[in-house]
């Protein structure tokens, strides 16, 4: 067996590719480049995952915002926003008052709006008619549910122009003002209830200049 010495072909030689040092150097460079590529790929995947997470979060935010705006829009349309009749004057406000028939102090749960004629009565918000009847105290009445717990009542009507189940838009005529039932004069008894509790309708009346009619 012949040993290779200095100066002989193949001594300190990595074969046809060059010396052992050169081979190790090239391998080290390849390894370094390979590691660099892996780091780049890891960074790319991390960035992609972060972008996907941000996209999901943005989508969730958009969905929530859309739902919120839809709910807000529905809530706004369910709130009374116009006067139930054109003209007239408030003959009896909301709150405690002396009953005109008995003289006893009693809670008046609505607003009485008087007028000299059988003028049209309008729905003050979008909704569905849930009540059309006549009672001994309120006379001919129409009740409308507007959603979100909001309900309006129109009493002492001369005529009812709607039926239960009718879909109503804000400003639609629902009857004529009158003096049916327990009434001392021609007027509309107008109530607003939220979750079944009467609230002062006066706060939902716009100024005459902004009345939608």
């Amino acid at each position: 067996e012949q040993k290779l010495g200095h100066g002989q072909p193949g001594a300190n030689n990595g074969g046809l590719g060059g010396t052992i040092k050169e081979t190790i150097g090239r391998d080290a460079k390849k390894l370094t480049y390979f590691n660099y590529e892996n780091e780049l790929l890891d960074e790319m995947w991390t960035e992609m995952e972060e972008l996907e997470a941000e996209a999901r979060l943005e989508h969730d935010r958009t969905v929530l915002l859309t739902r919120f705006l839809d709910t807000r829009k529905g809530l706004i349309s369910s709130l009374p926003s116009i006067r139930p009749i054109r003209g007239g004057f408030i003959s009896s406000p909301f709150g405690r008052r002396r009953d005109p028939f008995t003289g006893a102090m009693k809670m008046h749960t609505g607003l009485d709006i008087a007028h000299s004629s059988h003028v049209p009565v309008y729905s003050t918000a979008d909704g569905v008619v849930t009540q059309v009847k006549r009672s001994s105290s309120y006379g001919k009445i129409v009740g409308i549910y507007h959603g979100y717990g909001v309900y309006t009542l129109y009493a002492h009507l001369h005529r009812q122009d709607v039926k239960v189940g009718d879909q109503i838009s804000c400003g639609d005529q629902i009857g004529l003002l009158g003096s049916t039932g327990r009434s001392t004069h021609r007027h509309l008894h107008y109530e607003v209830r939220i979750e079944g509790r009467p609230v002062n309708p006066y706060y939902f009346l716009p100024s005459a200049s902004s009345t939608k009619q």
Side-chain angles (χ1 to χ4, degrees):
E1 181 178 356
Q2 185 179 1
K3 295 184 180 179
L4 295 176
H6 292 291
Q8 294 182 337
N12 293 326
N13 183 319
L16 295 176
T19 65
I20 294 175
K21 288 183 179 180
E22 289 174 345
T23 301
I24 293 174
R26 284 197 300 270
D27 289 344
K29 288 180 180 178
K30 288 180 181 178
L31 183 61
T32 301
Y33 182 74
F34 179 75
N35 289 336
Y36 177 67
E37 281 189 329
N38 279 346
E39 288 177 2
L40 283 178
L41 287 173
D42 287 342
E43 288 179 5
M44 287 173 60
W45 280 114
T46 300
E47 288 180 4
M48 288 178 64
E49 289 173 353
E50 289 176 352
L51 287 172
E52 288 177 357
E54 288 179 6
R56 286 194 297 269
L57 181 60
E58 189 64 29
H59 175 265
D60 292 344
R61 286 175 177 168
T62 302
V63 170
L64 289 174
L65 179 59
T66 301
R67 289 176 181 171
F68 169 75
L69 292 175
D70 287 343
T71 300
R72 187 166 180 251
K73 181 180 177 182
L75 177 59
I76 290 173
S77 68
S78 73
L79 293 176
S81 60
I82 66 171
R83 293 176 62 86
I85 68 169
R86 293 177 182 173
F89 62 95
I90 297 174
S91 58
S92 184
F94 176 90
R96 288 183 62 80
R97 69 169 185 178
R98 196 169 297 280
D99 188 288
F101 291 95
T102 66
M105 293 301 295
K106 188 177 179 181
M107 180 65 184
H108 185 229
T109 56
L111 201 65
D112 289 348
I113 307 175
H115 201 287
S116 58
S117 304
H118 295 303
V119 295
V121 176
Y122 304 98
S123 173
T124 55
D126 298 346
V128 59
V129 177
T130 57
Q131 200 172 26
V132 178
K133 69 176 186 178
R134 180 166 188 159
S135 74
S136 58
S137 57
Y138 280 158
K140 293 181 180 180
I141 66 174
V142 169
I144 300 175
Y145 181 66
H146 305 283
Y148 300 93
V150 182
Y151 174 87
T152 54
L153 178 73
Y154 311 80
H156 303 303
L157 298 176
H158 174 69
R159 190 182 77 199
Q160 299 145 309
D161 293 338
V162 292
K163 63 182 183 299
V164 173
D166 284 352
Q167 294 287 335
I168 300 295
S169 296
C170 181
D172 285 352
Q173 181 174 326
I174 59 173
L176 295 179
L177 180 143
S179 186
T180 56
R182 195 166 174 262
S183 172
T184 59
H185 60 285
R186 187 179 292 140
H187 71 285
L188 172 70
H189 174 81
Y190 172 54
E191 289 190 16
V192 177
R193 299 177 186 173
I194 299 179
E195 298 295 345
R197 299 184 63 179
V199 296
N200 193 344
Y202 182 81
Y203 298 119
F204 296 95
L205 296 181
S207 62
S209 61
S210 62
T211 302
K212 173 192 169 184
Q213 287 164 10

